[in-house]
Amino acid sequence: MVTVISNKFTVVEAEQGDGGGGGGGEFEHLPEGCIANILSFTTPRDACVLSLVSSSFRSAAQSDVVWERFLPSDLHAIVSQTSKPLSYSSKKELYLHLCHNPLLIDAGQKSFALDKPNAGKCYMLSARSLSIVWGNTPRYWRWTSVPAARFWEVAELVSVCWLEMKGGIKGSMLSSNTLYGAYLVFKQRSGGAYGFENQPVEVSVGIAGEGEARRRTVYLEAATPRRPRHQIVPRIFSRVRSRFLDSFDAAPPPAPAPPRVDDSAVGGEHPKERDDGWMEVELGDFFNGGGGGEEEVEIGVYEVKSGEWKGGLLVQGIEIRPKSKN
């Protein structure tokens, strides 16, 4: 007996009788169209799992009826913004294509894809679509093309003492009743970056007009062992201190603690490497209720307090995607 559990259904496969064949219990006798309609109310992940129940479920799980339901209702309007026509032989093939091949839309200012397990909409805002302080001043920022980038150009941080980037997206563009995360996607240029080591960067994510956005601290350099700091003591004071201590049977000072990774300072999160070779750091999350309004999600990245000069980053954009339910 095989039990397959999805978010919305529990299907128990009946034990094989003398005739064999591995039926799916009473579900085996349902028309394929009816099974397909049932599967369309699950998720893409559940449909793939339930296809293991029986041959009837496997056939129904390939149906366009199922995968049409997983595609966003406004897909035609989204696809109309791209210059490349889509070619596919089934709705499942189209779905998988959108999961693995983001579409450039809005004149190349954004990209669109689908979250493979749950069909949620994913967008990336290109660096060019962000509001970057001094972004059009070549002394501080320059625009360059990178072969591995999703967009035609990325923003290269030359050198600034005031780092400020902001972007936004309308909630109506996103999947409803979904918890989203916002991620800065970037990498260091070949010569390396500077000014970001152990330097906290303030980030914020919030709904415009609904009070102050939630702020947190992140880092734009990967976690590295913190260098031990050595106290500088004047030589004369050191000799006096030594003679004073010689008159006591003082125990030797304890050995310094080994270097540690400072991954928890003020709640800071360090970037992680993505499958595409870029780095990302989470800026925050928000729940999109999908009330049909035009509320805008505002996202910001700021390092404006230290006054230190910094540079050497390539910024591809900010990605907004559903957070994993695991």
Side-chain angles (χ1 to χ4, degrees):
M1 179 177 293
V2 178
T3 302
V4 181
I5 301 176
S6 75
N7 291 336
K8 300 180 180 179
F9 298 96
T10 302
V11 180
V12 180
E13 182 179 359
E15 294 181 357
Q16 294 185 11
D18 294 337
E26 294 182 359
F27 284 95
E28 181 71 15
H29 303 293
L30 291 175
E32 182 179 308
C34 183
I35 298 175
N37 190 52
I38 292 173
L39 295 181
S40 71
F41 285 95
T42 64
T43 67
R45 176 186 289 172
D46 292 336
C48 291
V49 172
L50 289 167
S51 68
L52 303 176
V53 169
S54 69
S55 59
S56 296
F57 271 73
R58 185 165 54 253
S59 178
Q62 304 296 320
S63 169
D64 279 354
V65 172
V66 176
W67 296 93
E68 174 80 32
R69 184 70 65 91
F70 297 150
L71 294 170
S73 58
D74 58 348
L75 180 61
H76 179 74
I78 295 172
V79 172
S80 67
Q81 300 179 54
T82 182
S83 59
K84 295 182 179 180
L86 296 178
S87 176
Y88 56 91
S89 59
S90 68
K91 294 299 174 66
K92 181 178 180 180
E93 182 182 334
L94 172 60
Y95 178 88
L96 294 176
H97 177 84
L98 294 174
C99 292
H100 298 291
N101 302 277
L103 299 178
L104 289 183
I105 61 173
D106 192 16
Q109 299 293 295
K110 299 181 183 71
S111 72
F112 168 80
L114 290 176
D115 179 47
K116 188 174 182 179
N118 298 297
K121 296 179 183 177
C122 309
Y123 287 91
M124 186 183 291
L125 312 178
S126 69
R128 182 59 86 174
S129 71
L130 304 178
S131 173
I132 302 178
V133 172
W134 294 334
N136 292 317
T137 305
R139 176 182 175 184
Y140 304 114
W141 291 86
R142 61 171 164 249
W143 297 90
T144 184
S145 60
V146 177
R150 183 175 301 184
F151 302 101
W152 298 312
E153 57 183 358
V154 301
E156 179 180 352
L157 174 57
V158 179
S159 185
V160 297
C161 62
W162 184 287
L163 176 64
E164 181 176 343
M165 298 181 286
K166 293 187 290 185
I169 188 170
K170 292 187 181 299
S172 58
M173 296 175 60
L174 304 173
S175 298
S176 60
N177 300 316
T178 301
L179 179 64
Y180 274 91
Y183 305 83
L184 180 68
V185 181
F186 67 100
K187 64 167 56 175
Q188 294 187 6
R189 64 186 178 194
S190 57
Y194 66 92
F196 292 102
E197 185 177 7
N198 296 321
Q199 177 59 60
V201 176
E202 191 174 74
V203 297
S204 66
V205 175
I207 308 298
E210 295 190 4
E212 187 175 355
R214 287 187 298 168
R215 294 177 177 268
R216 62 198 296 248
T217 297
V218 302
Y219 294 89
L220 300 186
E221 279 235 338
T224 55
R226 173 177 283 182
R227 299 188 183 95
R229 296 182 178 180
H230 302 284
Q231 187 177 10
I232 301 175
V233 182
R235 185 176 299 175
I236 295 177
F237 178 78
S238 179
R239 285 199 295 264
V240 173
R241 180 176 180 274
S242 178
R243 291 173 185 172
F244 178 76
L245 292 177
D246 285 344
S247 61
F248 297 86
D249 292 328
R260 63 184 180 87
V261 174
D262 183 30
D263 197 26
S264 60
V266 294
E269 179 178 328
H270 290 270
K272 301 176 178 62
E273 187 171 2
R274 295 160 50 97
D275 292 338
D276 59 10
W278 289 76
M279 304 291 289
E280 71 174 23
V281 65
E282 183 176 344
L283 307 178
D285 57 31
F286 62 95
F287 183 78
N288 186 54
E294 290 298 311
E295 296 87 357
E296 181 155 337
V297 181
E298 297 180 335
I299 306 162
V301 179
Y302 315 91
E303 204 299 281
V304 299
K305 297 179 179 179
S306 72
E308 299 291 335
W309 288 86
K310 55 196 73 69
L313 294 185
L314 297 172
V315 178
Q316 180 163 201
I318 294 177
E319 186 170 55
I320 300 103
R321 65 174 188 262
K323 298 194 72 171
S324 172
K325 296 181 180 180
N326 296 333

